[in-house]
mmCIF file of all heavy atoms in Angstrom:
data_model
loop_
_atom_site.group_PDB
_atom_site.id
_atom_site.type_symbol
_atom_site.label_atom_id
_atom_site.label_comp_id
_atom_site.label_asym_id
_atom_site.label_seq_id
_atom_site.Cartn_x
_atom_site.Cartn_y
_atom_site.Cartn_z
ATOM 1 N N MET A 1 0.834 -1.185 0.000
ATOM 2 C CA MET A 1 0.000 0.000 0.000
ATOM 3 C C MET A 1 0.880 1.250 0.000
ATOM 4 O O MET A 1 1.927 1.281 0.621
ATOM 5 C CB MET A 1 -0.906 0.001 1.230
ATOM 6 C CG MET A 1 -2.069 -0.975 1.129
ATOM 7 S SD MET A 1 -3.235 -0.875 2.512
ATOM 8 C CE MET A 1 -2.379 -1.872 3.719
ATOM 9 N N LYS A 2 0.404 2.241 -0.694
ATOM 10 C CA LYS A 2 1.158 3.476 -0.881
ATOM 11 C C LYS A 2 1.060 4.392 0.335
ATOM 12 O O LYS A 2 0.016 4.498 0.962
ATOM 13 C CB LYS A 2 0.603 4.189 -2.112
ATOM 14 C CG LYS A 2 1.530 5.221 -2.698
ATOM 15 C CD LYS A 2 1.061 5.550 -4.105
ATOM 16 C CE LYS A 2 2.092 6.224 -4.945
ATOM 17 N NZ LYS A 2 3.341 5.548 -5.121
ATOM 18 N N LYS A 3 2.170 5.058 0.638
ATOM 19 C CA LYS A 3 2.198 6.068 1.694
ATOM 20 C C LYS A 3 1.753 7.406 1.113
ATOM 21 O O LYS A 3 1.926 7.656 -0.081
ATOM 22 C CB LYS A 3 3.612 6.208 2.263
ATOM 23 C CG LYS A 3 4.106 4.971 2.977
ATOM 24 C CD LYS A 3 5.527 5.171 3.463
ATOM 25 C CE LYS A 3 6.067 3.920 4.123
ATOM 26 N NZ LYS A 3 7.462 4.110 4.562
ATOM 27 N N TYR A 4 1.175 8.250 1.970
ATOM 28 C CA TYR A 4 0.726 9.579 1.555
ATOM 29 C C TYR A 4 1.361 10.624 2.446
ATOM 30 O O TYR A 4 1.503 10.426 3.648
ATOM 31 C CB TYR A 4 -0.800 9.680 1.626
ATOM 32 C CG TYR A 4 -1.474 9.030 0.443
ATOM 33 C CD1 TYR A 4 -1.543 7.649 0.338
ATOM 34 C CD2 TYR A 4 -2.011 9.798 -0.576
ATOM 35 C CE1 TYR A 4 -2.148 7.042 -0.760
ATOM 36 C CE2 TYR A 4 -2.614 9.211 -1.676
ATOM 37 C CZ TYR A 4 -2.677 7.835 -1.759
ATOM 38 O OH TYR A 4 -3.265 7.247 -2.855
ATOM 39 N N VAL A 5 1.734 11.765 1.835
ATOM 40 C CA VAL A 5 2.450 12.829 2.540
ATOM 41 C C VAL A 5 1.575 14.074 2.629
ATOM 42 O O VAL A 5 0.982 14.503 1.638
ATOM 43 C CB VAL A 5 3.764 13.176 1.804
ATOM 44 C CG1 VAL A 5 4.515 14.286 2.527
ATOM 45 C CG2 VAL A 5 4.633 11.947 1.640
ATOM 46 N N CYS A 6 1.513 14.669 3.825
ATOM 47 C CA CYS A 6 0.798 15.923 4.023
ATOM 48 C C CYS A 6 1.584 17.040 3.348
ATOM 49 O O CYS A 6 2.773 17.223 3.618
ATOM 50 C CB CYS A 6 0.642 16.197 5.518
ATOM 51 S SG CYS A 6 -0.184 17.756 5.877
ATOM 52 N N THR A 7 0.919 17.800 2.483
ATOM 53 C CA THR A 7 1.603 18.878 1.761
ATOM 54 C C THR A 7 1.823 20.098 2.646
ATOM 55 O O THR A 7 2.536 21.020 2.257
ATOM 56 C CB THR A 7 0.809 19.289 0.505
ATOM 57 O OG1 THR A 7 -0.490 19.718 0.898
ATOM 58 C CG2 THR A 7 0.699 18.121 -0.469
ATOM 59 N N VAL A 8 1.236 20.128 3.826
ATOM 60 C CA VAL A 8 1.386 21.261 4.733
ATOM 61 C C VAL A 8 2.558 21.044 5.698
ATOM 62 O O VAL A 8 3.423 21.899 5.849
ATOM 63 C CB VAL A 8 0.085 21.525 5.519
ATOM 64 C CG1 VAL A 8 0.272 22.628 6.553
ATOM 65 C CG2 VAL A 8 -1.048 21.864 4.564
ATOM 66 N N CYS A 9 2.592 19.861 6.354
ATOM 67 C CA CYS A 9 3.602 19.649 7.393
ATOM 68 C C CYS A 9 4.546 18.480 7.132
ATOM 69 O O CYS A 9 5.416 18.194 7.938
ATOM 70 C CB CYS A 9 2.921 19.462 8.751
ATOM 71 S SG CYS A 9 2.090 17.863 8.938
ATOM 72 N N SER A 10 4.335 17.768 6.032
ATOM 73 C CA SER A 10 5.183 16.639 5.619
ATOM 74 C C SER A 10 4.984 15.373 6.452
ATOM 75 O O SER A 10 5.783 14.441 6.363
ATOM 76 C CB SER A 10 6.667 17.022 5.612
ATOM 77 O OG SER A 10 6.883 18.077 4.708
ATOM 78 N N TYR A 11 3.908 15.300 7.256
ATOM 79 C CA TYR A 11 3.568 14.053 7.953
ATOM 80 C C TYR A 11 3.335 12.976 6.903
ATOM 81 O O TYR A 11 2.724 13.230 5.856
ATOM 82 C CB TYR A 11 2.305 14.251 8.796
ATOM 83 C CG TYR A 11 1.722 12.962 9.327
ATOM 84 C CD1 TYR A 11 2.211 12.386 10.493
ATOM 85 C CD2 TYR A 11 0.672 12.325 8.666
ATOM 86 C CE1 TYR A 11 1.681 11.203 10.983
ATOM 87 C CE2 TYR A 11 0.125 11.155 9.148
ATOM 88 C CZ TYR A 11 0.633 10.588 10.303
ATOM 89 O OH TYR A 11 0.105 9.414 10.787
ATOM 90 N N VAL A 12 3.818 11.763 7.166
ATOM 91 C CA VAL A 12 3.627 10.648 6.242
ATOM 92 C C VAL A 12 2.638 9.661 6.854
ATOM 93 O O VAL A 12 2.884 9.126 7.944
ATOM 94 C CB VAL A 12 4.962 9.942 5.936
ATOM 95 C CG1 VAL A 12 4.730 8.732 5.034
ATOM 96 C CG2 VAL A 12 5.945 10.908 5.296
ATOM 97 N N TYR A 13 1.513 9.441 6.155
ATOM 98 C CA TYR A 13 0.588 8.395 6.575
ATOM 99 C C TYR A 13 1.086 7.087 5.982
ATOM 100 O O TYR A 13 1.153 6.924 4.770
ATOM 101 C CB TYR A 13 -0.854 8.669 6.118
ATOM 102 C CG TYR A 13 -1.747 7.494 6.473
ATOM 103 C CD1 TYR A 13 -2.158 7.306 7.780
ATOM 104 C CD2 TYR A 13 -2.110 6.546 5.528
ATOM 105 C CE1 TYR A 13 -2.921 6.203 8.140
ATOM 106 C CE2 TYR A 13 -2.871 5.448 5.865
ATOM 107 C CZ TYR A 13 -3.267 5.279 7.170
ATOM 108 O OH TYR A 13 -4.007 4.171 7.523
ATOM 109 N N ASP A 14 1.423 6.158 6.857
ATOM 110 C CA ASP A 14 1.906 4.842 6.446
ATOM 111 C C ASP A 14 0.816 3.824 6.752
ATOM 112 O O ASP A 14 0.509 3.568 7.920
ATOM 113 C CB ASP A 14 3.179 4.500 7.223
ATOM 114 C CG ASP A 14 3.796 3.182 6.804
ATOM 115 O OD1 ASP A 14 3.151 2.409 6.057
ATOM 116 O OD2 ASP A 14 4.927 2.910 7.233
ATOM 117 N N PRO A 15 0.200 3.250 5.709
ATOM 118 C CA PRO A 15 -0.887 2.309 5.945
ATOM 119 C C PRO A 15 -0.466 1.087 6.763
ATOM 120 O O PRO A 15 -1.287 0.501 7.459
ATOM 121 C CB PRO A 15 -1.336 1.888 4.550
ATOM 122 C CG PRO A 15 -0.469 2.577 3.589
ATOM 123 C CD PRO A 15 0.456 3.484 4.311
ATOM 124 N N ALA A 16 0.792 0.706 6.714
ATOM 125 C CA ALA A 16 1.257 -0.434 7.498
ATOM 126 C C ALA A 16 1.178 -0.153 8.996
ATOM 127 O O ALA A 16 1.057 -1.064 9.804
ATOM 128 C CB ALA A 16 2.689 -0.793 7.100
ATOM 129 N N VAL A 17 1.203 1.132 9.371
ATOM 130 C CA VAL A 17 1.182 1.542 10.769
ATOM 131 C C VAL A 17 -0.218 1.989 11.201
ATOM 132 O O VAL A 17 -0.631 1.747 12.334
ATOM 133 C CB VAL A 17 2.196 2.684 11.007
ATOM 134 C CG1 VAL A 17 2.130 3.196 12.431
ATOM 135 C CG2 VAL A 17 3.601 2.215 10.662
ATOM 136 N N GLY A 18 -0.948 2.654 10.292
ATOM 137 C CA GLY A 18 -2.249 3.214 10.651
ATOM 138 C C GLY A 18 -2.075 4.512 11.428
ATOM 139 O O GLY A 18 -1.055 5.182 11.317
ATOM 140 N N ASP A 19 -3.062 4.852 12.241
ATOM 141 C CA ASP A 19 -3.002 6.073 13.057
ATOM 142 C C ASP A 19 -3.620 5.754 14.413
ATOM 143 O O ASP A 19 -4.834 5.844 14.599
ATOM 144 C CB ASP A 19 -3.755 7.211 12.369
ATOM 145 C CG ASP A 19 -3.729 8.517 13.155
ATOM 146 O OD1 ASP A 19 -3.116 8.558 14.243
ATOM 147 O OD2 ASP A 19 -4.330 9.492 12.685
ATOM 148 N N SER A 20 -2.773 5.386 15.349
ATOM 149 C CA SER A 20 -3.255 4.951 16.662
ATOM 150 C C SER A 20 -3.911 6.079 17.454
ATOM 151 O O SER A 20 -4.692 5.826 18.369
ATOM 152 C CB SER A 20 -2.116 4.339 17.478
ATOM 153 O OG SER A 20 -1.100 5.291 17.707
ATOM 154 N N SER A 21 -3.645 7.333 17.084
ATOM 155 C CA SER A 21 -4.224 8.453 17.827
ATOM 156 C C SER A 21 -5.747 8.521 17.669
ATOM 157 O O SER A 21 -6.430 9.109 18.498
ATOM 158 C CB SER A 21 -3.582 9.777 17.409
ATOM 159 O OG SER A 21 -3.970 10.139 16.100
ATOM 160 N N VAL A 22 -6.265 7.915 16.604
ATOM 161 C CA VAL A 22 -7.715 7.893 16.391
ATOM 162 C C VAL A 22 -8.222 6.491 16.043
ATOM 163 O O VAL A 22 -9.217 6.320 15.351
ATOM 164 C CB VAL A 22 -8.155 8.916 15.316
ATOM 165 C CG1 VAL A 22 -8.022 10.335 15.811
ATOM 166 C CG2 VAL A 22 -7.380 8.723 14.031
ATOM 167 N N ASP A 23 -7.514 5.489 16.540
ATOM 168 C CA ASP A 23 -7.916 4.084 16.381
ATOM 169 C C ASP A 23 -8.054 3.631 14.931
ATOM 170 O O ASP A 23 -8.952 2.859 14.598
ATOM 171 C CB ASP A 23 -9.217 3.791 17.140
ATOM 172 C CG ASP A 23 -9.036 3.919 18.646
ATOM 173 O OD1 ASP A 23 -7.939 3.577 19.131
ATOM 174 O OD2 ASP A 23 -9.974 4.365 19.317
ATOM 175 N N ILE A 24 -7.159 4.113 14.055
ATOM 176 C CA ILE A 24 -7.093 3.598 12.688
ATOM 177 C C ILE A 24 -6.119 2.421 12.723
ATOM 178 O O ILE A 24 -4.937 2.590 13.039
ATOM 179 C CB ILE A 24 -6.604 4.666 11.686
ATOM 180 C CG1 ILE A 24 -7.529 5.890 11.705
ATOM 181 C CG2 ILE A 24 -6.476 4.080 10.289
ATOM 182 C CD1 ILE A 24 -8.934 5.651 11.215
ATOM 183 N N ALA A 25 -6.616 1.244 12.415
ATOM 184 C CA ALA A 25 -5.822 0.019 12.535
ATOM 185 C C ALA A 25 -4.715 -0.047 11.484
ATOM 186 O O ALA A 25 -4.851 0.507 10.387
ATOM 187 C CB ALA A 25 -6.729 -1.192 12.378
ATOM 188 N N PRO A 26 -3.615 -0.726 11.821
ATOM 189 C CA PRO A 26 -2.593 -0.998 10.806
ATOM 190 C C PRO A 26 -3.227 -1.699 9.606
ATOM 191 O O PRO A 26 -4.251 -2.381 9.742
ATOM 192 C CB PRO A 26 -1.612 -1.922 11.533
ATOM 193 C CG PRO A 26 -1.774 -1.581 12.979
ATOM 194 C CD PRO A 26 -3.242 -1.254 13.134
ATOM 195 N N ASP A 27 -2.617 -1.536 8.454
ATOM 196 C CA ASP A 27 -3.092 -2.104 7.187
ATOM 197 C C ASP A 27 -4.377 -1.450 6.686
ATOM 198 O O ASP A 27 -5.123 -2.048 5.917
ATOM 199 C CB ASP A 27 -3.257 -3.623 7.280
ATOM 200 C CG ASP A 27 -1.936 -4.321 7.577
ATOM 201 O OD1 ASP A 27 -0.905 -3.902 7.006
ATOM 202 O OD2 ASP A 27 -1.923 -5.252 8.390
ATOM 203 N N THR A 28 -4.623 -0.189 7.097
ATOM 204 C CA THR A 28 -5.753 0.581 6.570
ATOM 205 C C THR A 28 -5.237 1.482 5.448
ATOM 206 O O THR A 28 -4.417 2.369 5.692
ATOM 207 C CB THR A 28 -6.405 1.445 7.670
ATOM 208 O OG1 THR A 28 -6.870 0.595 8.722
ATOM 209 C CG2 THR A 28 -7.562 2.259 7.122
ATOM 210 N N ALA A 29 -5.701 1.225 4.229
ATOM 211 C CA ALA A 29 -5.283 2.027 3.079
ATOM 212 C C ALA A 29 -5.740 3.469 3.242
ATOM 213 O O ALA A 29 -6.773 3.735 3.869
ATOM 214 C CB ALA A 29 -5.863 1.447 1.793
ATOM 215 N N PHE A 30 -4.986 4.407 2.682
ATOM 216 C CA PHE A 30 -5.354 5.824 2.754
ATOM 217 C C PHE A 30 -6.765 6.042 2.220
ATOM 218 O O PHE A 30 -7.543 6.791 2.786
ATOM 219 C CB PHE A 30 -4.342 6.666 1.968
ATOM 220 C CG PHE A 30 -4.585 8.143 2.078
ATOM 221 C CD1 PHE A 30 -4.141 8.852 3.183
ATOM 222 C CD2 PHE A 30 -5.258 8.833 1.083
ATOM 223 C CE1 PHE A 30 -4.375 10.220 3.300
ATOM 224 C CE2 PHE A 30 -5.491 10.195 1.183
ATOM 225 C CZ PHE A 30 -5.042 10.882 2.294
ATOM 226 N N GLU A 31 -7.090 5.366 1.135
ATOM 227 C CA GLU A 31 -8.400 5.507 0.513
ATOM 228 C C GLU A 31 -9.528 5.050 1.438
ATOM 229 O O GLU A 31 -10.674 5.455 1.277
ATOM 230 C CB GLU A 31 -8.460 4.708 -0.796
ATOM 231 C CG GLU A 31 -7.517 5.214 -1.868
ATOM 232 C CD GLU A 31 -6.071 4.727 -1.694
ATOM 233 O OE1 GLU A 31 -5.786 3.879 -0.822
ATOM 234 O OE2 GLU A 31 -5.216 5.230 -2.444
ATOM 235 N N ASP A 32 -9.208 4.198 2.400
ATOM 236 C CA ASP A 32 -10.211 3.664 3.320
ATOM 237 C C ASP A 32 -10.342 4.471 4.607
ATOM 238 O O ASP A 32 -11.178 4.147 5.461
ATOM 239 C CB ASP A 32 -9.887 2.209 3.663
ATOM 240 C CG ASP A 32 -9.997 1.298 2.449
ATOM 241 O OD1 ASP A 32 -10.766 1.626 1.519
ATOM 242 O OD2 ASP A 32 -9.313 0.261 2.424
ATOM 243 N N LEU A 33 -9.533 5.522 4.762
ATOM 244 C CA LEU A 33 -9.661 6.370 5.945
ATOM 245 C C LEU A 33 -11.002 7.088 5.902
ATOM 246 O O LEU A 33 -11.506 7.415 4.823
ATOM 247 C CB LEU A 33 -8.530 7.416 5.972
ATOM 248 C CG LEU A 33 -7.129 6.887 6.230
ATOM 249 C CD1 LEU A 33 -6.110 8.009 6.027
ATOM 250 C CD2 LEU A 33 -7.007 6.299 7.619
ATOM 251 N N PRO A 34 -11.612 7.355 7.058
ATOM 252 C CA PRO A 34 -12.884 8.093 7.068
ATOM 253 C C PRO A 34 -12.717 9.466 6.407
ATOM 254 O O PRO A 34 -11.635 10.051 6.453
ATOM 255 C CB PRO A 34 -13.194 8.260 8.559
ATOM 256 C CG PRO A 34 -12.302 7.324 9.287
ATOM 257 C CD PRO A 34 -11.132 7.025 8.401
ATOM 258 N N ASP A 35 -13.774 9.970 5.816
ATOM 259 C CA ASP A 35 -13.726 11.265 5.136
ATOM 260 C C ASP A 35 -13.360 12.401 6.083
ATOM 261 O O ASP A 35 -12.801 13.408 5.656
ATOM 262 C CB ASP A 35 -15.059 11.575 4.455
ATOM 263 C CG ASP A 35 -15.299 10.687 3.243
ATOM 264 O OD1 ASP A 35 -14.325 10.159 2.676
ATOM 265 O OD2 ASP A 35 -16.475 10.526 2.865
ATOM 266 N N ASP A 36 -13.660 12.229 7.371
ATOM 267 C CA ASP A 36 -13.368 13.292 8.330
ATOM 268 C C ASP A 36 -12.012 13.117 9.027
ATOM 269 O O ASP A 36 -11.694 13.856 9.951
ATOM 270 C CB ASP A 36 -14.493 13.411 9.362
ATOM 271 C CG ASP A 36 -14.671 12.143 10.200
ATOM 272 O OD1 ASP A 36 -14.053 11.098 9.888
ATOM 273 O OD2 ASP A 36 -15.444 12.195 11.172
ATOM 274 N N TRP A 37 -11.211 12.161 8.563
ATOM 275 C CA TRP A 37 -9.865 11.974 9.129
ATOM 276 C C TRP A 37 -9.022 13.198 8.806
ATOM 277 O O TRP A 37 -9.134 13.778 7.724
ATOM 278 C CB TRP A 37 -9.216 10.716 8.548
ATOM 279 C CG TRP A 37 -7.841 10.451 9.073
ATOM 280 C CD1 TRP A 37 -7.507 9.807 10.221
ATOM 281 C CD2 TRP A 37 -6.590 10.806 8.463
ATOM 282 N NE1 TRP A 37 -6.146 9.747 10.373
ATOM 283 C CE2 TRP A 37 -5.556 10.364 9.301
ATOM 284 C CE3 TRP A 37 -6.246 11.476 7.289
ATOM 285 C CZ2 TRP A 37 -4.210 10.556 9.017
ATOM 286 C CZ3 TRP A 37 -4.910 11.665 7.003
ATOM 287 C CH2 TRP A 37 -3.908 11.210 7.857
ATOM 288 N N VAL A 38 -8.208 13.629 9.776
ATOM 289 C CA VAL A 38 -7.317 14.773 9.567
ATOM 290 C C VAL A 38 -5.895 14.395 9.942
ATOM 291 O O VAL A 38 -5.662 13.449 10.697
ATOM 292 C CB VAL A 38 -7.757 16.010 10.383
ATOM 293 C CG1 VAL A 38 -9.114 16.499 9.921
ATOM 294 C CG2 VAL A 38 -7.759 15.729 11.870
ATOM 295 N N CYS A 39 -4.956 15.147 9.419
ATOM 296 C CA CYS A 39 -3.550 14.944 9.726
ATOM 297 C C CYS A 39 -3.351 15.049 11.245
ATOM 298 O O CYS A 39 -3.747 16.046 11.851
ATOM 299 C CB CYS A 39 -2.708 16.008 9.021
ATOM 300 S SG CYS A 39 -0.938 15.894 9.400
ATOM 301 N N PRO A 40 -2.726 14.042 11.864
ATOM 302 C CA PRO A 40 -2.535 14.090 13.318
ATOM 303 C C PRO A 40 -1.543 15.153 13.769
ATOM 304 O O PRO A 40 -1.534 15.538 14.936
ATOM 305 C CB PRO A 40 -2.045 12.686 13.665
ATOM 306 C CG PRO A 40 -1.548 12.106 12.404
ATOM 307 C CD PRO A 40 -2.282 12.783 11.287
ATOM 308 N N ASP A 41 -0.724 15.656 12.861
ATOM 309 C CA ASP A 41 0.259 16.674 13.240
ATOM 310 C C ASP A 41 -0.261 18.104 13.066
ATOM 311 O O ASP A 41 -0.027 18.959 13.918
ATOM 312 C CB ASP A 41 1.550 16.508 12.438
ATOM 313 C CG ASP A 41 2.404 15.348 12.924
ATOM 314 O OD1 ASP A 41 2.064 14.733 13.970
ATOM 315 O OD2 ASP A 41 3.413 15.045 12.271
ATOM 316 N N CYS A 42 -0.973 18.378 11.958
ATOM 317 C CA CYS A 42 -1.371 19.772 11.709
ATOM 318 C C CYS A 42 -2.873 19.976 11.528
ATOM 319 O O CYS A 42 -3.322 21.104 11.471
ATOM 320 C CB CYS A 42 -0.600 20.351 10.526
ATOM 321 S SG CYS A 42 -1.107 19.692 8.923
ATOM 322 N N GLY A 43 -3.645 18.900 11.402
ATOM 323 C CA GLY A 43 -5.093 19.011 11.381
ATOM 324 C C GLY A 43 -5.757 19.265 10.040
ATOM 325 O O GLY A 43 -6.967 19.478 10.003
ATOM 326 N N VAL A 44 -5.010 19.246 8.939
ATOM 327 C CA VAL A 44 -5.652 19.439 7.631
ATOM 328 C C VAL A 44 -6.316 18.139 7.172
ATOM 329 O O VAL A 44 -5.994 17.059 7.637
ATOM 330 C CB VAL A 44 -4.657 19.942 6.553
ATOM 331 C CG1 VAL A 44 -4.090 21.295 6.929
ATOM 332 C CG2 VAL A 44 -3.550 18.939 6.291
ATOM 333 N N GLY A 45 -7.241 18.275 6.229
ATOM 334 C CA GLY A 45 -7.983 17.124 5.742
ATOM 335 C C GLY A 45 -7.222 16.292 4.721
ATOM 336 O O GLY A 45 -6.135 16.651 4.265
ATOM 337 N N LYS A 46 -7.856 15.163 4.348
ATOM 338 C CA LYS A 46 -7.250 14.220 3.406
ATOM 339 C C LYS A 46 -6.901 14.851 2.066
ATOM 340 O O LYS A 46 -5.978 14.408 1.384
ATOM 341 C CB LYS A 46 -8.205 13.049 3.150
ATOM 342 C CG LYS A 46 -8.334 12.091 4.295
ATOM 343 C CD LYS A 46 -9.415 11.041 4.069
ATOM 344 C CE LYS A 46 -9.179 10.182 2.877
ATOM 345 N NZ LYS A 46 -10.178 9.105 2.739
ATOM 346 N N GLU A 47 -7.652 15.901 1.677
ATOM 347 C CA GLU A 47 -7.419 16.530 0.372
ATOM 348 C C GLU A 47 -6.055 17.204 0.285
ATOM 349 O O GLU A 47 -5.588 17.522 -0.814
ATOM 350 C CB GLU A 47 -8.534 17.536 0.044
ATOM 351 C CG GLU A 47 -8.547 18.790 0.896
ATOM 352 C CD GLU A 47 -9.186 18.637 2.277
ATOM 353 O OE1 GLU A 47 -9.714 17.553 2.603
ATOM 354 O OE2 GLU A 47 -9.157 19.610 3.029
ATOM 355 N N MET A 48 -5.405 17.390 1.423
ATOM 356 C CA MET A 48 -4.080 18.032 1.446
ATOM 357 C C MET A 48 -2.938 17.013 1.401
ATOM 358 O O MET A 48 -1.775 17.371 1.584
ATOM 359 C CB MET A 48 -3.942 18.906 2.690
ATOM 360 C CG MET A 48 -4.941 20.055 2.734
ATOM 361 S SD MET A 48 -4.855 21.176 1.315
ATOM 362 C CE MET A 48 -3.264 21.935 1.597
ATOM 363 N N PHE A 49 -3.247 15.761 1.149
ATOM 364 C CA PHE A 49 -2.240 14.707 1.063
ATOM 365 C C PHE A 49 -2.009 14.303 -0.386
ATOM 366 O O PHE A 49 -2.926 14.343 -1.198
ATOM 367 C CB PHE A 49 -2.688 13.473 1.854
ATOM 368 C CG PHE A 49 -2.459 13.592 3.346
ATOM 369 C CD1 PHE A 49 -3.242 14.428 4.106
ATOM 370 C CD2 PHE A 49 -1.461 12.869 3.965
ATOM 371 C CE1 PHE A 49 -3.053 14.549 5.475
ATOM 372 C CE2 PHE A 49 -1.251 12.975 5.337
ATOM 373 C CZ PHE A 49 -2.052 13.806 6.084
ATOM 374 N N GLU A 50 -0.776 13.940 -0.670
ATOM 375 C CA GLU A 50 -0.413 13.444 -1.991
ATOM 376 C C GLU A 50 0.336 12.133 -1.838
ATOM 377 O O GLU A 50 1.026 11.918 -0.833
ATOM 378 C CB GLU A 50 0.499 14.458 -2.700
ATOM 379 C CG GLU A 50 -0.192 15.759 -3.020
ATOM 380 C CD GLU A 50 0.724 16.745 -3.751
ATOM 381 O OE1 GLU A 50 1.943 16.495 -3.829
ATOM 382 O OE2 GLU A 50 0.199 17.755 -4.217
ATOM 383 N N PRO A 51 0.235 11.256 -2.844
ATOM 384 C CA PRO A 51 0.989 9.995 -2.778
ATOM 385 C C PRO A 51 2.487 10.278 -2.672
ATOM 386 O O PRO A 51 3.003 11.193 -3.320
ATOM 387 C CB PRO A 51 0.665 9.298 -4.092
ATOM 388 C CG PRO A 51 -0.570 9.962 -4.584
ATOM 389 C CD PRO A 51 -0.549 11.362 -4.056
ATOM 390 N N GLU A 52 3.157 9.482 -1.857
ATOM 391 C CA GLU A 52 4.615 9.636 -1.709
ATOM 392 C C GLU A 52 5.284 9.184 -3.007
ATOM 393 O O GLU A 52 4.897 8.174 -3.592
ATOM 394 C CB GLU A 52 5.099 8.788 -0.529
ATOM 395 C CG GLU A 52 6.567 8.951 -0.228
ATOM 396 C CD GLU A 52 6.979 8.161 0.984
ATOM 397 O OE1 GLU A 52 6.875 6.925 0.971
ATOM 398 O OE2 GLU A 52 7.403 8.791 1.968
ATOM 399 N N GLU A 53 6.274 9.955 -3.417
ATOM 400 C CA GLU A 53 7.031 9.593 -4.619
ATOM 401 C C GLU A 53 7.929 8.394 -4.317
ATOM 402 O O GLU A 53 8.488 8.302 -3.237
ATOM 403 C CB GLU A 53 7.885 10.772 -5.084
ATOM 404 C CG GLU A 53 7.070 11.981 -5.497
ATOM 405 C CD GLU A 53 6.211 11.736 -6.719
ATOM 406 O OE1 GLU A 53 6.648 11.030 -7.648
ATOM 407 O OE2 GLU A 53 5.067 12.243 -6.735
ATOM 408 N N ASP A 54 8.038 7.511 -5.293
ATOM 409 C CA ASP A 54 8.893 6.318 -5.122
ATOM 410 C C ASP A 54 10.358 6.667 -5.212
ATOM 411 O O ASP A 54 10.779 7.576 -5.787
ATOM 412 C CB ASP A 54 8.546 5.265 -6.166
ATOM 413 C CG ASP A 54 7.157 4.707 -5.906
ATOM 414 O OD1 ASP A 54 6.723 4.685 -4.744
ATOM 415 O OD2 ASP A 54 6.512 4.281 -6.878
#
């Protein structure tokens, strides 16, 4: 699964890890995150994330 990077603060969402701060389980794809999920570091929405370059 692809990692996604916040364009505001550079936080990397890693699907292998998930987001324990809001009970997002490991192996949750970015596309499967709830629509109201926000960056845990700066609070922007999913629309501010881009796929990480290989």
Side-chain angles (χ1 to χ4, degrees):
M1 285 185 278
K2 199 164 198 57
K3 295 178 183 179
Y4 281 74
V5 180
C6 178
T7 59
V8 175
C9 73
S10 300
Y11 168 84
V12 177
Y13 175 76
D14 183 349
V17 176
D19 180 0
S20 62
S21 70
V22 289
D23 294 325
I24 302 294
D27 298 320
T28 300
F30 184 81
E31 295 81 7
D32 295 333
L33 291 172
D35 289 337
D36 62 351
W37 180 84
V38 296
C39 177
D41 284 353
C42 72
V44 298
K46 288 173 61 175
E47 69 280 356
M48 297 302 292
F49 280 72
E50 294 181 349
E52 184 177 62
E53 297 295 323
D54 292 331

